[in-house]
Amino acid sequence: MSPPPPVENVERVIFIKTLSIRRCEIVSNLEKDGKLLFDMDNLEKILKRNCIKDYCYIVHNRDRYSQSDEKKNPDHKQGELKPAHIHLLLRFETNQPQHLENVAKWFNIQPNFINKIKGAWEDACLYQIHYNAPEKYQYPVSDVTCNFDYQELLEDAEKGDKITRIIQRILDGEIREYNKTLEIDNMILVNYSRKIAEAFKVRSEFLQATQKERSTECIFITGGSGMGKTTLAKQIAKSKNYSYFVSSGSNDVMDGYGQEDCLILDDVRPSCMGLSDLLKMLDPHTASSVKSRYKNKYLNCRLVILTTVLNIDEFYSNVFAEQKEPVTQLKRRCKTYIKMYRDIILVSVWDDKAMNYVNPVAYKNTVLDEYIPEKEKDKQDIREHVQELMPFLKLSENEVIETENFKLEKVHTSISDETVSDHDYNEMIH
């Protein structure tokens, strides 16, 4: 008489018989040594049971043994084809869970060929074609048999994977707010706007928590209207291959800033910001968060350029007239000081030892050359302009009406590309 089975085996048998499952996967070879192990002919009949809500199956006949397979079993040589086997997924109606032993009887297989699906149903379905196992053979969707739209499930997975990759690129700093419309499809921006916005927020919080130091150059550009201050600022950024953001003239100068490499504070007005905010923004070594209307903006750019019609002393006295901080706090941050005139550009740099800007060097102002027409406009230009803009107007009988000519006096200078004396410099800026 044989001894009774161990207690643990008896408990396992009882567990298998009573185990209730809502989703399961069956993996079985189709045959072995000429013996049928899984009856494919009766499969469709079984799948018509009322308790089965969804099913999905595929026959894997192009899988090959891997190196790890060979380590587990020396008979399974790496690179050899595996025996053809079926992957069958079953999902039962919510109110009709099935006992594992009964499911095994349907297919006349051992219960150990059946596994309860613990993860997401969609992930199990995607494994049918090895979508989520790229190291394995990729089966075509046409090899899958199921009672639902597998292609739609696959497309949803691809969208999910795409947004996951996009979010990771945002978190890695590859995609920034300023270039998101170039890097991200418009439909994804619309459908996943909350996730994308949250990713940018997490990225900003990460930078604030981890990157306390920065290396930022600050430039102060002053000059009259039409001298080319903004154009020069853009050219500086472009010459360094920096993305740039030109601030608006409103009180919220950071509105719209999207983590560009260069921040151009264009035509800064006295009412735009307080002294502490400006000094933090221009700090060359410490990254900081700057006030903005809807949410503070983390500023860790490589270059900050201010443009204004006021020279640096006038700017300081107009903006911060009641502040006790000396103007040198501003000058020390703006290492490069540029004054623009119609014909020349004066460039000076801050000297920490002398605590002043050194005598400037003069350069020709060619910034706006490409925007200046080769010839002055005449009456024919007017006619062509009117014809294009207001073709309904008719010429008067007295077409030529003489008016007094006002000619702007052009100021020319003979200053060459040499260092300018203190006297000449003061004469020019005052």
Side-chain angles (χ1 to χ4, degrees), residues 28-40 83-84 108-110 113:
S28 172
N29 287 346
L30 299 184
E31 61 178 37
K32 183 177 180 181
D33 299 329
K35 181 181 178 181
L36 185 67
L37 299 180
F38 192 90
D39 189 358
M40 293 292 296
N108 194 26
I109 58 176
Q110 295 298 316
F113 287 101

Side-chain angles (χ1 to χ4, degrees), residues 306-325:
L306 289 85
T307 73
T308 175
V309 295
L310 305 174
N311 67 48
I312 197 164
D313 291 283
E314 292 172 337
F315 176 81
Y316 185 85
S317 62
N318 275 271
V319 180
F320 314 117
E322 299 180 0
Q323 299 289 344
K324 296 181 180 179
E325 293 284 351

Side-chain angles (χ1 to χ4, degrees), residues 228-264:
K229 299 186 296 297
T230 306
T231 303
L232 175 61
K234 292 178 180 179
Q235 288 181 357
I236 294 171
K238 290 178 181 178
S239 69
K240 302 178 78 64
N241 291 321
Y242 288 170
S243 56
Y244 61 85
F245 169 75
V246 181
S247 71
S248 64
S250 67
N251 289 335
D252 188 3
V253 297
M254 296 297 289
D255 184 25
Y257 174 69
Q259 296 299 317
E260 286 87 349
D261 299 316
C262 173
L263 171 62
I264 300 175

Side-chain angles (χ1 to χ4, degrees), residues 140-162:
V141 174
S142 58
D143 284 6
V144 178
T145 302
C146 59
N147 64 342
F148 54 87
D149 193 335
Y150 191 90
Q151 185 63 43
E152 182 179 352
L153 181 144
L154 180 60
E155 289 174 0
D156 288 343
E158 290 173 342
K159 290 178 182 177
D161 286 347
K162 192 170 185 178

Side-chain angles (χ1 to χ4, degrees), residues 208-349:
Q208 292 183 58
T210 59
Q211 296 189 12
K212 301 296 184 181
E213 297 182 357
R214 71 181 183 190
S215 178
T216 302
E217 178 76 17
C218 300
I219 301 174
F220 192 101
I221 303 177
T222 183
S225 178
M227 295 297 104
K229 299 186 296 297
T230 306
T231 303
L232 175 61
K234 292 178 180 179
Q235 288 181 357
I236 294 171
K238 290 178 181 178
S239 69
K240 302 178 78 64
N241 291 321
Y242 288 170
S243 56
Y244 61 85
F245 169 75
V246 181
S247 71
S248 64
S250 67
N251 289 335
D252 188 3
V253 297
M254 296 297 289
D255 184 25
Y257 174 69
Q259 296 299 317
E260 286 87 349
D261 299 316
C262 173
L263 171 62
I264 300 175
L265 300 174
D266 192 38
D267 194 21
V268 184
R269 301 297 180 180
S271 59
C272 286
M273 68 186 73
L275 175 61
S276 60
D277 287 330
L278 180 62
L279 293 182
K280 280 200 306 181
M281 188 181 295
L282 302 181
D283 193 312
H285 304 300
T286 305
S288 61
S289 180
V290 181
K291 287 183 180 179
S292 189
R293 182 176 302 169
Y294 300 109
K295 63 176 181 178
N296 290 354
K297 300 293 182 68
Y298 178 71
L299 182 64
N300 191 13
C301 56
R302 301 180 183 183
L303 179 62
V304 179
I305 304 177
L306 289 85
T307 73
T308 175
V309 295
L310 305 174
N311 67 48
I312 197 164
D313 291 283
E314 292 172 337
F315 176 81
Y316 185 85
S317 62
N318 275 271
V319 180
F320 314 117
E322 299 180 0
Q323 299 289 344
K324 296 181 180 179
E325 293 284 351
V327 68
T328 52
Q329 290 281 38
L330 177 60
K331 291 181 176 180
R332 289 177 59 199
R333 284 165 167 76
C334 299
K335 297 289 187 183
T336 306
Y337 185 26
I338 300 174
K339 282 183 169 288
M340 299 190 69
Y341 299 90
R342 180 69 65 186
D343 296 326
I344 64 168
I345 297 175
L346 301 178
V347 182
S348 184
V349 295

Side-chain angles (χ1 to χ4, degrees), residues 15 58-59 66 94 115 120 151 181 184 216 240 278 284 312 355 369 373 380 425:
F15 173 76
I58 186 173
V59 173
S66 64
T94 304
N115 296 309
Q151 185 63 43
T181 55
I184 306 175
T216 302
K240 302 178 78 64
L278 180 62
I312 197 164
M355 293 298 288
D369 282 1
Q380 182 59 32
Y425 182 45

